[in-house]
Amino acid sequence: MKILGIESSCDETAAAVYTGEGLRSNVIASQTIHRTFGGVVPELASRAHQQSIMEVTRQALDEAGLQPDDLDAIAVTNGPGLMGALLVGLCFAKGLAMSLGKPLIGVNHIDAHIYANFIESRPAYPFISLIVSGGHTRLVLVKGFMDHELLGDTRDDAAGEAFDKTAKILGLPYPGGPVMDARAREGDPDFVKFPRALLSEGYEFSFSGLKTSVLYHVEGVPEAGRATYLQEHTNDLCASVSQAITDVLTRKTRRALKAYGVGDLVLAGGVSANSMLRAKMQALGVEMGVTVHIPKPVYCTDNAAMIAVTGYFHALDGHFDDIATLEPFAST
Ligand code: KG4
Ligand code: ZN
């Protein structure tokens, strides 16, 4: 079965082909225009998707060595995400499906982050999944394909948002997560003990206090010496922020693993590309005797390979969507 996946929910225009035997292509066009604005500008994202979606899809088919007619189905992200951005991918996929006479499969972007782990391995159900992206931070018990029990969510900022917003306070460029990761590797994670919220409570997260605490810390340095302080200690601050975020994520994940006694842990979403988090989760796996699955960094951040592989499992289940009625949705 040959599935074309299309992704356009935020600032990555992507297309990929997955077959039962593996991934055949994975093309990603990252929009750089948003850097100037320090965040994603929805209108610009939609326009950029529209400009590149055709070429990205053509390239994904070429690299897979396929003609459009060879496809068995087209899978596309229909939410959550930016409405205008989603509409570009969805309308393009609908047009393609209709003209080729192929079935269409709507894929939930957050769920697809989980199934990105199935591109190169096969986690055993039931497993615990920690989803950490720019918009979500969730612990989920996954009992089977698309059989999910939400254990806890964030009450405010997502983990990726916490990285991006604190990076902005430290004067680092957007997107802050990857930059902070690189700087943190050169810093002292115990330089400042930033707050870890809701540690003793269940599976819910809160990261907005961390951002405020970093802001107060920086503003607490007398203005005359602030630039020098930041020059000397940005790496240490990045390491301390990363330590605070990853400590909370590790602690809550340990709690879920203990409570549900599963044998597999699955990391998902852009923040699972973070080196400190990857190291802590691997160590947690050893401590708990659990197999840890973390996608390659390129499958952690937004991509269409995860949409194609999720579409593949939907197709195996015989689950297809109606071209006329499949709708985009902005949030979960
Ligand atoms: O999953 P994703 O690509 O998009 C969403 O669905 O949100 O996640 C993007 C988030 C951004 O907040 C970005 O800063 C963060 O993932 N991120 C990282 C790293 N790479 C991406 N955060 C920390 N360390 C990284 N290496
Ligand atoms: Zn994502």
Side-chain angles (χ1 to χ4, degrees), residues 109 113 133-135 160-161 163-164 175-178 181 269-271 273-274 300-302:
H109 179 92
H113 272 300
S133 71
E161 224 174 333
F163 274 112
D164 294 341
D181 188 359
V271 179
N274 183 268
C300 289
T301 46
D302 289 350

Side-chain angles (χ1 to χ4, degrees), residues 18-308:
Y18 182 82
T19 72
E21 285 109 56
L23 193 66
R24 296 268 286 262
S25 63
N26 185 33
V27 180
I28 305 173
S30 295
Q31 303 175 359
T32 49
I33 185 149
H34 308 289
R35 282 188 199 147
T36 327
F37 302 94
V40 178
V41 183
E43 174 75 19
L44 297 179
S46 308
R47 288 180 192 212
H49 284 307
Q50 200 266 330
Q51 279 160 3
S52 54
I53 197 153
M54 184 86 127
E55 191 45 43
V56 164
T57 306
R58 203 194 308 268
Q59 211 179 315
L61 286 168
D62 281 354
E63 285 178 19
L66 297 177
Q67 296 299 319
D69 212 34
D70 298 328
L71 295 169
D72 292 295
I74 293 155
V76 60
T77 307
N78 67 317
L82 302 168
M83 190 47 87
L86 288 166
L87 275 167
V88 176
L90 183 59
C91 290
F92 181 78
K94 282 187 173 192
L96 202 57
M98 196 178 270
S99 62
L100 295 170
K102 307 285 178 183
L104 184 72
I105 305 164
V107 172
N108 179 303
H109 179 92
I110 308 301
D111 296 338
H113 272 300
I114 298 177
Y115 296 104
N117 285 277
F118 288 71
I119 297 169
E120 293 189 326
S121 74
R122 279 286 180 276
Y125 298 113
F127 56 78
I128 291 290
S129 184
L130 173 70
I131 308 165
V132 272
S133 71
H136 295 82
T137 299
R138 284 184 183 164
L139 272 164
V140 178
L141 173 65
V142 181
K143 300 171 195 166
F145 178 65
M146 296 305 290
D147 184 2
H148 302 173
E149 183 183 332
L150 178 65
L151 304 180
D153 215 329
T154 179
R155 292 185 186 173
D156 39 58
D157 291 350
E161 224 174 333
F163 274 112
D164 294 341
K165 287 180 176 172
T166 49
K168 200 169 183 173
I169 294 168
L170 298 176
L172 298 172
Y174 173 86
V179 184
M180 194 173 267
D181 188 359
R183 301 288 296 253
R185 276 178 237 158
E186 311 296 323
D188 173 9
D190 300 316
F191 182 66
V192 183
K193 177 107 178 153
F194 287 118
R196 282 101 164 119
L198 307 179
L199 266 193
S200 54
E201 289 172 50
Y203 303 112
E204 293 203 325
F205 301 92
S206 168
F207 291 108
S208 67
L210 171 64
K211 168 189 68 194
T212 315
S213 169
V214 174
L215 183 66
Y216 286 170
H217 180 85
V218 172
E219 286 182 348
V221 179
E223 215 174 332
R226 203 176 290 160
T228 315
Y229 177 78
L230 283 177
Q231 210 169 9
E232 279 173 11
H233 293 299
T234 294
N235 292 351
D236 297 326
L237 293 170
C238 286
S240 301
V241 167
S242 305
Q243 180 88 312
I245 295 173
T246 55
D247 268 1
V248 176
L249 295 173
T250 309
R251 181 111 159 223
K252 303 249 169 178
T253 304
R254 180 186 289 109
R255 182 173 295 152
L257 288 173
K258 270 190 186 151
Y260 292 92
V262 299
D264 289 55
L265 168 65
V266 164
L267 247 69
V271 179
S272 46
N274 183 268
S275 53
M276 194 184 278
L277 184 65
R278 293 170 87 92
K280 285 187 184 177
M281 288 295 161
Q282 293 293 4
L284 181 64
V286 173
E287 173 197 324
M288 303 284 298
V290 159
T291 307
V292 179
H293 305 264
I294 312 178
K296 274 207 296 221
V298 66
Y299 303 139
C300 289
T301 46
D302 289 350
N303 65 84
M306 68 184 196
I307 306 303

